[in-house]
């Protein structure tokens, strides 16, 4: 019974970490290296994460700079950034790629908030699926006679409390991200 609850907590912790990563890739007006994490560069025929073909730095609040380890990949890096859904326009001077992160329009901010809200809903569904799986395991333990009906009820209450706690954490992360996006 404790084993099921511990496993559930680990899964829910991983879900929260995944949501934090997802939110880090949604831009919020300021330049940050994580906003490029989802971009894949065609590097010798293999889709490769951008942070594995060069180093990404933030020399100024609205500027990203990428230094490719292999200069022959510069054009592919530039193309991958241009083709991404981030709306960024990189400039390549042969040595480094600079990306000026433009200020967000009100319309774009609202789109990004919707994107964050959609992601948070998907992660809430994951949390609820993990709750369902844990409850199924607990019911199976009760059927097999390993736990009593009272223990099952108590364990299911604990699972629900855990679910509520993580759902609130997702709401809190979303609220923080929305404030970050809407900040001018």
């Amino acid at each position: 019974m404790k084993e099921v609850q511990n496993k559930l907590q680990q899964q829910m912790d991983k879900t929260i970490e995944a949501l934090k990563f997802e939110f880090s890739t949604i831009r919020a007006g300021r330049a940050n290296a994580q906003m490029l994490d989802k971009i894949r560069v065609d590097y010798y025929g293999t889709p490769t994460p951008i942070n594995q073909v060069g180093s990404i730095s933030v020399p100024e609040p609205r500027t990203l700079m990428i230094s490719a380890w292999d200069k022959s990949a510069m054009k592919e890096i530039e193309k991958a950034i241009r083709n991404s859904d981030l709306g960024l326009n990189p400039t390549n001077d042969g040595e480094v790629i600079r990306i000026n992160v433009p200020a967000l329009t009100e319309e774009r901010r609202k789109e990004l908030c919707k994107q964050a809200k959609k992601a948070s809903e998907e992660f809430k569904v994951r949390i609820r699926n993990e709750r369902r799986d844990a409850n199924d395991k607990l019911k199976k333990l009760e059927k097999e006679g390993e736990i009593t009906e009272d223990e099952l009820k108590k364990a299911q209450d604990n699972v629900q409390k855990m679910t509520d706690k993580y759902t609130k954490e997702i709401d809190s992360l979303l609220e923080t991200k929305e404030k970050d996006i809407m900040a001018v």
Side-chain angles (χ1 to χ4, degrees):
M1 184 169 76
K2 275 282 184 217
E3 184 181 307
V4 171
Q5 289 175 346
N6 289 341
K7 189 168 195 264
L8 176 64
Q9 184 160 6
Q10 288 174 349
Q11 288 173 311
M12 288 185 173
D13 283 339
K14 285 181 186 171
T15 301
I16 294 296
E17 287 308 308
L19 177 63
K20 287 178 181 175
F21 172 77
E22 183 75 22
F23 279 173
S24 75
T25 64
I26 298 174
R27 70 177 270 222
R30 291 181 308 277
N32 77 33
Q34 287 83 18
M35 60 195 275
L36 301 177
D37 281 354
K38 286 186 174 179
I39 297 177
R40 299 283 182 261
V41 176
D42 184 18
Y43 188 63
Y44 294 106
T46 306
T48 308
I50 201 163
N51 59 5
Q52 291 182 15
V53 294
S55 64
I56 303 169
S57 60
V58 186
E60 298 168 24
R62 291 206 182 274
T63 306
L64 287 171
M65 198 165 73
I66 303 167
S67 300
W69 293 312
D70 178 359
K71 298 295 182 209
S72 67
M74 298 280 277
K75 291 240 183 294
E76 288 297 328
I77 294 170
E78 187 180 3
K79 183 174 149 190
I81 295 166
R82 206 175 300 264
N83 293 341
S84 74
D85 63 349
L86 294 174
L88 299 173
N89 194 15
T91 55
N92 178 353
D93 67 8
E95 289 298 312
V96 294
I97 295 174
R98 288 187 195 341
I99 305 167
N100 287 324
V101 180
L104 295 170
T105 63
E106 187 69 22
E107 186 180 325
R108 183 70 175 135
R109 287 177 196 278
K110 287 178 181 172
E111 281 177 33
L112 292 171
C113 281
K114 282 182 189 172
Q115 190 179 340
K117 200 169 277 182
K118 182 177 181 236
S120 73
E121 285 305 316
E122 288 170 7
F123 282 87
K124 282 182 184 178
V125 168
R126 285 191 197 179
I127 293 286
R128 289 192 290 270
N129 288 341
E130 289 162 2
R131 173 190 62 192
R132 183 196 62 224
D133 294 345
N135 281 334
D136 289 348
K137 287 176 189 167
L138 290 168
K139 286 175 189 170
K140 187 178 175 194
L141 288 175
E142 194 243 350
K143 264 188 186 162
E144 293 170 354
E146 291 184 37
I147 61 172
T148 66
E149 196 175 322
D150 289 343
E151 288 173 324
L152 170 67
K153 181 76 176 121
K154 187 176 180 198
Q156 285 178 326
D157 287 345
N158 287 340
V159 166
Q160 186 58 48
K161 284 177 188 164
M162 213 181 293
T163 303
D164 294 343
K165 176 185 141 199
Y166 282 96
T167 302
K168 280 184 184 138
E169 188 171 348
I170 288 173
D171 289 338
S172 170
L173 289 169
L174 174 62
E175 189 178 323
T176 303
K177 186 62 180 181
E178 284 179 328
K179 282 179 186 170
D180 195 21
I181 291 170
M182 295 309 283
V184 178

